[in-house]
Amino acid sequence: MCKRGSIEIVEAWREVKIPERCERLDLTTHVADHAGGDRGARALAEAIRHHPSLVEVDLSGHGIGDEGARELADALRSNTVLKILDLYRNHIGDEGARAIADALLVNATLTRVDLSWNMLGADAARALARASAGSRTLTWLSLAYNALGDDGAGALGPALMTNDALEHLDVAGCNVGELGS
């Protein structure tokens, strides 16, 4: 497991260098001063785009918004080894989630994505439903504690019916009433 001390962060997140031998990168933070935000996401996206061995990236608590999510999504389109992406407790909204959903449609290696505790709404749920319905590798998706509501949950239902690969979908705390369940 590579942690913050084993990577090189250059000039306040302008560039990130991850050792080639690193397979799991855990940059989870609970300290705002350590968060890379969108700038950090951009630098990390560039670093993981063609990384030869990185299978897991945890960027929980980094303050990543839609711009950073778009950068990460762009990297996912060309990355062929990453299996787990954890973006728990960031600031990603519907636009960033749509970018990640679009990347999931072409990425053939991601099996687990955590977008819990972000700022996702029904539009994000619709995009992720479309992506999960088209994915044959995604087995685990957490959207917990987002404002998906009944509309978002209603969009996810049909995706579950068409995707044999998805084994776990977490929508706890998503303001889903009887209409969406």
Side-chain angles (χ1 to χ4, degrees), residues 30-49:
H30 301 285
V31 180
D33 291 345
H34 294 168
D38 287 337
R39 184 178 192 170
R42 186 178 316 111
L44 284 161
E46 195 55 43
I48 67 172
R49 185 177 314 277

Side-chain angles (χ1 to χ4, degrees), residues 66-111:
D66 288 338
E67 180 184 335
R70 282 192 305 271
E71 295 287 341
L72 290 167
D74 189 46
L76 294 175
R77 286 183 180 85
S78 54
N79 182 288
T80 59
V81 294
L82 192 66
K83 294 181 184 297
I84 299 170
L85 179 62
D86 193 338
L87 294 170
Y88 161 80
R89 209 173 41 82
N90 278 285
H91 303 293
I92 299 169
D94 289 351
E95 186 179 329
R98 277 193 299 273
I100 290 170
D102 289 345
L104 286 172
L105 288 170
V106 296
N107 181 290
T109 57
L110 271 174
T111 61

